[in-house]
């Protein structure tokens, strides 16, 4: 058969396939989400996330060292306090759990890049992401608290802050607070398109952050909406965001791609708890190969346009890259 173009020519060997690979990834782009809890000598497995744990500050070093030795780029810390109140004051307390976590992480693994999740849901008695007015979250009053949270995390050692609350105007408020306190070089990674997703279920178990009433659909995005997501992205860019995040990752590759095409800032994607638990439980049942699906999910996110991949499989993916299974 007279075929001038035969695409299979470039698939004929493993070495050639890797040579012409379009999507390439690096361990430094991996971010691991880590849960820090009060207490001592705590390493508590999260029931809905097999293989993931809540660590007390004195037990953080073992996990942080594993991640650093694997070559993972950074860690995002989530705090689980003993005490919660209506205004989430523990989120910005100098001796708050996540602040203690940042100081410890900076001490024992300074080579890891530390990111603070800026939100209130883990710290409020009602489980919502802001200050309540009746049963509604008061957007503008919440901004002051978010700015205080971001500042407290940076003062404790966070290298970057990542507001995840989905309040309008939060990036601008945080940028103003950081700049006015001398942290002009601290970047903001905005959860710009964070959808009201069923994929978050295991995280709410892990962080004890389920809302006591109602849901978060009045501030997290409707997953039906594409144009609105891009509007949120562009608003955060205008307010001074340095990195734009799409969350969740796996089912939202179209938004990752559209964001990548629309802006020239780095794009992050968060492979969330539900994605992790789906893989772990299905693999445990013998229905799929865990390593293969984890690599495929990551490659698809990077192919869509992700520069930074936030994942509970960060350590495993770093190993797979070393083994040549991904990269």
């Amino acid at each position: 058969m007279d075929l001038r173009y035969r695409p299979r020519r470039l698939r004929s060997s493993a070495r050639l396939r890797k040579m012409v690979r379009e999507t390439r990834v690096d361990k430094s782009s991996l971010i691991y989400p880590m849960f820090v809890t009060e207490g001592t000598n705590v390493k508590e497995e999260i029931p809905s996330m097999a293989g993931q744990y809540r660590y007390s500050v004195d037990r953080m070093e073992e996990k942080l060292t594993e991640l650093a030795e694997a070559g993972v780029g950074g860690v995002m810390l989530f705090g689980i306090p003993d005490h919660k109140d209506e205004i989430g004051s523990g989120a910005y307390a100098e001796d708050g759990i996540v602040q203690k976590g940042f100081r410890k992480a900076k001490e024992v693994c300074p080579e890891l890049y530390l990111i603070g999740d800026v939100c209130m849901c883990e710290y409020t008695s009602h489980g919502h992401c802001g200050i309540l007015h009746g049963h509604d979250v008061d957007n503008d009053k919440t901004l002051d608290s978010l700015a205080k949270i971001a500042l407290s995390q940076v003062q404790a050692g966070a290298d970057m802050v990542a507001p995840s609350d989905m309040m309008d105007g939060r990036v601008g408020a945080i940028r103003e607070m950081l700049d006015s306190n001398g942290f002009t070089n601290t970047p903001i990674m905005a959860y710009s398109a964070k959808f009201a997703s069923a994929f978050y279920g295991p995280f709410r178990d892990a962080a004890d952050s389920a809302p006591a009433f109602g849901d978060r659909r009045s501030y997290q995005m409707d997953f039906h909406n594409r144009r609105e997501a891009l509007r949120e992205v562009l608003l955060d860019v205008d307010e001074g965001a340095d990195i734009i995040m799409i969350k969740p990752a796996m089912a939202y590759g179209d938004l990752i791609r559209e964001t990548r095409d629309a802006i020239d800032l780095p794009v992050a994607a968060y492979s969330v708890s539900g994605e992790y638990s789906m893989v772990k439980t299905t693999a445990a049942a013998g229905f799929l190969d865990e390593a293969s699906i984890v690599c495929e999910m990551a490659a698809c996110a990077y192919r869509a346009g992700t520069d930074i991949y936030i994942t509970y499989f960060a350590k495993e993916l770093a190993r797979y890259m070393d083994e040549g299974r991904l990269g």
Side-chain angles (χ1 to χ4, degrees), residues 55-69:
Y55 296 87
S56 55
V57 171
D58 61 311
R59 292 290 300 272
M60 290 177 67
E61 184 172 1
E62 58 191 86
K63 185 63 179 182
L64 294 170
T65 301
E66 286 179 10
L67 295 166
E69 290 178 348

Side-chain angles (χ1 to χ4, degrees), residues 173-313:
I174 291 170
R175 184 73 274 158
E176 182 178 351
M177 176 67 86
L178 294 179
D179 288 357
S180 64
N181 283 273
F183 295 104
T184 55
N185 290 326
T186 300
I188 298 172
M189 176 166 62
Y191 288 65
S192 298
K194 179 181 179 180
F195 291 85
S197 172
F199 282 101
Y200 303 154
F203 175 92
R204 291 172 183 167
D205 172 38
D208 188 26
S209 63
F213 61 87
D215 54 43
R216 296 179 177 140
R217 291 191 175 96
S218 67
Y219 41 100
Q220 294 180 358
M221 283 195 54
D222 184 343
F223 58 77
H224 297 83
N225 295 357
R226 178 184 62 84
R227 294 191 301 273
E228 184 186 8
L230 291 175
R231 185 161 65 249
E232 288 276 18
V233 165
L234 295 177
L235 284 170
D236 283 353
V237 172
D238 286 344
E239 289 180 29
D242 301 284
I243 299 170
I244 296 299
M245 187 200 299
I246 308 299
K247 181 183 179 185
M250 185 171 69
Y252 293 78
D254 59 325
L255 270 305
I256 298 171
R257 180 73 264 164
E258 291 205 49
T259 299
R260 172 73 286 149
D261 290 342
I263 66 172
D264 58 5
L265 296 177
V267 175
Y270 193 149
S271 182
V272 298
S273 59
E275 300 172 42
Y276 174 87
S277 295
M278 287 167 62
V279 171
K280 294 297 287 188
T281 55
T282 310
F287 297 144
L288 55 77
D289 178 71
E290 180 177 311
S292 296
I293 200 73
V294 168
C295 288
E296 185 174 341
M297 287 167 59
C300 290
Y302 284 103
R303 186 190 66 218
T306 295
D307 301 296
I308 298 166
Y309 193 50
I310 304 164
T311 172
Y312 301 94
F313 288 113

Side-chain angles (χ1 to χ4, degrees), residues 39-240:
T40 57
N41 196 30
V42 177
K43 181 182 177 182
E44 178 185 23
E45 188 168 28
I46 299 164
S48 57
M49 299 179 70
Q52 298 300 311
Y53 298 85
R54 303 181 188 95
Y55 296 87
S56 55
V57 171
D58 61 311
R59 292 290 300 272
M60 290 177 67
E61 184 172 1
E62 58 191 86
K63 185 63 179 182
L64 294 170
T65 301
E66 286 179 10
L67 295 166
E69 290 178 348
V72 171
V75 174
M76 181 180 286
L77 292 188
F78 296 87
I80 306 168
D82 277 345
H83 172 73
K84 305 186 181 195
D85 58 31
E86 283 287 307
I87 60 172
S89 60
Y92 50 80
E94 184 178 352
D95 62 346
I97 181 58
V98 81
Q99 287 77 9
K100 290 187 287 189
F102 279 122
R103 286 191 286 269
K104 183 67 172 181
K106 188 64 73 175
E107 173 193 334
V108 300
C109 276
E111 65 270 39
L112 284 172
Y113 195 82
L114 303 179
I115 303 171
D117 175 80
V118 178
C119 196
M120 299 175 66
C121 60
E122 298 109 298
Y123 302 90
T124 55
S125 53
H126 45 75
H128 280 282
C129 300
I131 304 297
L132 292 185
H133 181 74
H135 276 193
D136 296 322
V137 175
D138 188 319
N139 187 99
D140 293 7
K141 283 187 177 179
T142 299
L143 298 183
D144 292 337
S145 295
L146 295 172
K148 288 165 65 177
I149 295 167
L151 178 61
S152 73
Q153 292 183 354
V154 174
Q155 289 173 332
D159 300 301
M160 177 190 289
V161 290
S164 63
D165 54 283
M166 286 303 288
M167 296 297 114
D168 296 337
R170 77 275 176 74
V171 172
I174 291 170
R175 184 73 274 158
E176 182 178 351
M177 176 67 86
L178 294 179
D179 288 357
S180 64
N181 283 273
F183 295 104
T184 55
N185 290 326
T186 300
I188 298 172
M189 176 166 62
Y191 288 65
S192 298
K194 179 181 179 180
F195 291 85
S197 172
F199 282 101
Y200 303 154
F203 175 92
R204 291 172 183 167
D205 172 38
D208 188 26
S209 63
F213 61 87
D215 54 43
R216 296 179 177 140
R217 291 191 175 96
S218 67
Y219 41 100
Q220 294 180 358
M221 283 195 54
D222 184 343
F223 58 77
H224 297 83
N225 295 357
R226 178 184 62 84
R227 294 191 301 273
E228 184 186 8
L230 291 175
R231 185 161 65 249
E232 288 276 18
V233 165
L234 295 177
L235 284 170
D236 283 353
V237 172
D238 286 344
E239 289 180 29

